[in-house]
Amino acid sequence: MILLATLNARYSHASLGLRCLMANMGELTPMTRIEEYIITDRPQDVAEALLALRPRIIGLGVYIWNVEQSTKLVALLKRISPETVIVLGGPEVSHEWEEQRLVQLADHIITGPGDLAFAELCRQVLKGAKPPKLLHAEQPSLESLRLPYEFYDERDIAQRTVYVEASRGCPFKCEFCLSALDKTAWPFPLEHFLSAMDNLHARGLRQFKFVDRTFNLNVKASLQILEFFLERLDEHLFLHFEVVPDHLPDKLKEAIKRFPPGSLQFEVGIQTFNPEVQQRISRRQDNDRTEANLRWLRSETNAHIHADLIAGLPGEGLASFAAGFDRLVGLEPHEIQVGVLKRLRGAPLDRHSQSFDLRYSPDPPYNVLSTSLMDFATLQRISRFARYWDLVGNSGRFQNGLQLLLGSSPFERFMAFSDWLYACLGKTHQLALDRLYDLTYQWLTEQGGVDSAAATQAIARDFHASGTRSVPRFLAREGIRSPGPRVPAAGVKAPARQQRHLSGH
């Protein structure tokens, strides 16, 4: 028995990586099975479940979100069943593996894409050979690979996020990203890929999450994919793509305009608007064209726009980050993901660590703790800002109150709100929605210079749209009762369509 296993971030995620391995096991397929768990499962319980299947080989996918739990799991497996061969793969063990305890515990590691290399390693082990501990796998020809989509089962299609990829790699060299190590982007044969998508669609799948780093890089292929789904459009279809923000030719725009509300989501990586920082981290981005395209997407299409910013990049201080945030707020994406820089193993960004005094957490997810321009306290404030922004700015539950919160200086005012909120609560999680409405009203009227009548009207409208049963205290004093089931505010996506997922790419 060969087991393909991993610890997903949550149950709703289904591992594309494991299915890529499964699809290319060849004659070993009948003796191979996929076993998925989540990071909240106890390592002892996972070890028990895996060993109950009496595996000869366990292949384990290791990522930034599960490396700590994976280390505990492998330690248990090797202590209980040292004869079981443990093979590691994934981005977390593909670089800087020398001093990792997890790697020391395992029998073999495969660095790079393991689609074909894992099966070959298994063949050698089963024949009694002794392969080297470290195997470097090159990117195989995508034409030679069997596609993985038949290995999504009916439960996956009905209950979980199904990841698909029309291409691999990235031609850009943004140094914070492992894709900077790629030489180019490789497309899967399009006809074969669309045939697989047709099969998934026929089996009932309606939510497709593309993990391609640059979906709109090859416009001809992008158009064919969009046309494929436009022909199958219904009220349940939902597509997620990561797009290059400064590359939207007219033909692509025409196709995008044809999608109705709720069917299309674009993840747009802005990261920074600072030209010097962009150049320093090898990020090519035309800011003016990016801005024009975002304005066009918001005014002319129904696409849901999720935009990303990164705090703590080398050479960017708080004022520059704040200016970038304000500029992005002015473009009105539906969501702004504020992230703190992370040091991915192997990413070229490390070359700036000494010059800009980048100090990272020694533990996953390796977020930057301080830089030459942002001290630890500042980055802590931004981390809290990001969490509160998710609750207030991205949740869709503060459509009216958010306008009052941000005013004409979005970053400055929301940072002041964030600092005040943390001073009141001392925490960023497990916050009741009615309490958050109360505190937002309190800040607006006591700190934000907003008239109490205007604040009451705005927060009351948000509360009525939320569907929460617990009435905020300030509204209870006005005699306002629970609004009953939530009616989503105009333009707000259903939560399942707003979810962001960690992919293995």
Side-chain angles (χ1 to χ4, degrees):
M1 173 71 70
I2 300 169
L3 298 182
L4 297 168
T6 196
L7 301 167
N8 293 320
R10 60 184 68 177
Y11 168 77
S12 61
H13 299 177
S15 172
L16 176 60
L18 295 189
R19 287 161 178 80
C20 289
L21 295 179
M22 185 71 177
N24 291 280
M25 291 299 292
E27 78 283 1
L28 301 179
T29 301
M31 61 185 298
T32 307
R33 63 186 285 176
I34 292 173
E35 293 291 317
E36 292 179 275
Y37 305 90
I38 55 176
I39 56 176
T40 54
D41 291 332
R42 294 196 321 151
Q44 293 93 328
D45 296 335
V46 177
E48 180 183 17
L50 289 172
L51 294 176
L53 298 171
R54 300 184 179 277
R56 177 74 178 91
I57 302 170
I58 298 176
L60 190 65
V62 187
Y63 303 89
I64 196 171
W65 64 84
N66 70 16
V67 61
E68 292 183 312
Q69 296 89 336
S70 296
T71 302
K72 294 177 181 179
L73 173 61
V74 173
L76 287 170
L77 290 170
K78 295 306 293 184
R79 182 63 60 91
I80 300 165
S81 181
E83 69 278 7
T84 301
V85 175
I86 306 295
V87 183
L88 306 178
E92 187 64 13
V93 295
S94 287
H95 307 277
E96 304 174 23
W97 56 81
E98 295 85 354
E99 297 182 2
Q100 293 188 55
R101 178 172 177 251
L102 173 61
V103 171
Q104 295 168 2
L105 290 166
D107 297 285
H108 304 283
I109 63 170
I110 297 176
T111 68
D115 304 76
L116 302 179
F118 177 74
E120 181 57 33
L121 174 62
C122 289
R123 292 185 187 100
Q124 294 182 37
V125 170
L126 295 175
K127 289 177 181 178
K130 294 185 178 180
K133 178 160 186 166
L134 177 63
L135 293 96
H136 296 285
E138 297 296 329
Q139 175 64 54
S141 165
L142 299 189
E143 291 82 356
S144 68
L145 298 181
R146 182 183 176 193
L147 297 182
Y149 305 110
E150 64 188 272
F151 295 100
Y152 286 116
D153 61 23
E154 302 313 309
R155 179 193 62 170
D156 299 328
I157 289 174
Q159 302 176 10
R160 307 173 77 191
T161 300
V162 170
Y163 298 98
V164 301
E165 54 178 356
S167 65
R168 286 186 184 175
C170 180
F172 302 110
K173 303 300 178 186
C174 307
E175 295 179 11
F176 53 80
C177 181
L178 277 178
S179 294
L181 303 177
D182 296 333
K183 296 178 181 178
T184 184
W186 303 274
F188 282 90
L190 189 55
E191 183 177 354
H192 193 29
F193 172 76
L194 291 179
S195 176
M197 296 303 98
D198 192 37
N199 287 335
L200 282 175
H201 186 271
R203 292 172 60 196
L205 183 66
R206 292 298 181 270
Q207 296 201 20
F208 296 77
K209 177 151 187 179
F210 282 72
V211 298
D212 306 53
R213 286 299 189 197
T214 49
F215 171 73
N216 57 327
L217 181 66
N218 184 330
V219 174
K220 182 178 179 181
S222 302
L223 280 172
Q224 286 184 255
I225 292 171
L226 293 179
E227 290 291 347
F228 170 88
F229 285 109
L230 282 168
E231 292 172 2
R232 291 157 179 78
L233 194 61
D234 62 25
E235 61 182 1
H236 302 294
L237 184 70
F238 174 73
L239 309 172
H240 172 104
F241 299 108
E242 184 172 339
V243 299
V244 181
D246 56 5
H247 185 57
L248 286 180
D250 289 341
K251 289 184 178 180
L252 199 57
K253 287 182 176 181
E254 289 303 314
I256 293 170
K257 287 172 66 174
R258 293 162 57 194
F259 282 87
S263 62
L264 198 60
Q265 176 168 288
F266 288 148
E267 183 172 345
V268 182
I270 303 299
Q271 318 312 359
T272 178
F273 276 117
N274 186 316
E276 291 183 8
V277 176
Q278 290 172 340
Q279 183 177 18
R280 182 173 297 120
I281 62 173
S282 306
R283 181 171 179 81
R284 301 202 311 264
Q285 180 171 290
D286 185 322
N287 288 337
D288 291 338
R289 186 175 295 175
T290 291
E291 184 169 329
N293 285 338
L294 285 176
R295 291 191 186 281
W296 179 86
L297 286 168
R298 286 293 283 122
S299 63
E300 301 295 330
T301 79
N302 297 304
H304 182 91
I305 309 302
H306 174 108
D308 296 323
L309 284 179
I310 297 178
L313 290 168
E316 180 154 56
L318 185 62
S320 173
F321 182 79
F325 181 86
D326 288 352
R327 184 173 181 179
L328 189 52
V329 167
L331 300 174
E332 300 183 326
H334 300 89
E335 297 176 82
I336 298 175
Q337 185 76 26
V338 176
V340 174
L341 179 67
K342 297 173 177 58
R343 182 193 175 277
L344 303 181
R345 292 183 185 272
L349 189 75
D350 196 40
R351 71 188 184 95
H352 299 294
S353 293
Q354 185 172 358
S355 300
F356 292 91
D357 197 19
L358 303 177
R359 304 187 185 190
Y360 298 94
S361 170
D363 300 312
Y366 315 118
N367 54 292
V368 69
L369 301 174
S370 65
T371 77
S372 58
L373 296 180
M374 288 190 184
D375 61 15
F376 177 62
T378 298
L379 282 164
Q380 285 289 96
R381 292 175 68 206
I382 293 177
S383 294
R384 291 191 289 270
F385 178 108
R387 171 59 182 165
Y388 293 139
W389 179 259
D390 275 344
L391 295 174
V392 177
N394 289 337
S395 67
R397 297 182 182 275
F398 290 80
Q399 292 285 299
N400 300 284
L402 186 63
Q403 298 178 34
L404 299 179
L405 272 171
L406 299 183
S408 59
S409 303
F411 184 86
E412 180 182 357
R413 283 176 62 84
F414 199 87
M415 180 61 91
F417 172 66
S418 173
D419 290 341
W420 178 86
L421 203 57
Y422 187 69
C424 291
L425 297 171
K427 61 181 181 178
T428 58
H429 290 73
Q430 298 179 327
L431 306 181
L433 185 57
D434 60 326
R435 176 70 168 143
L436 197 54
Y437 280 132
D438 265 321
L439 289 169
T440 302
Y441 170 82
Q442 185 179 346
W443 187 87
L444 288 172
T445 55
E446 296 179 6
Q447 308 289 325
V450 176
D451 176 75
S452 61
T456 299
Q457 182 182 38
I459 302 301
R461 291 175 65 188
D462 290 334
F463 168 68
H464 278 290
S466 73
T468 184
R469 295 289 180 177
S470 300
V471 181
R473 293 180 182 178
F474 85 95
L475 290 179
R477 291 195 297 268
E478 303 289 332
I480 296 176
R481 300 180 178 180
S482 172
R486 183 186 183 193
V487 178
V492 178
K493 305 286 182 183
R497 296 186 176 184
Q498 291 183 349
Q499 279 185 341
R500 298 197 70 234
H501 303 281
L502 294 164
S503 76
H505 293 260

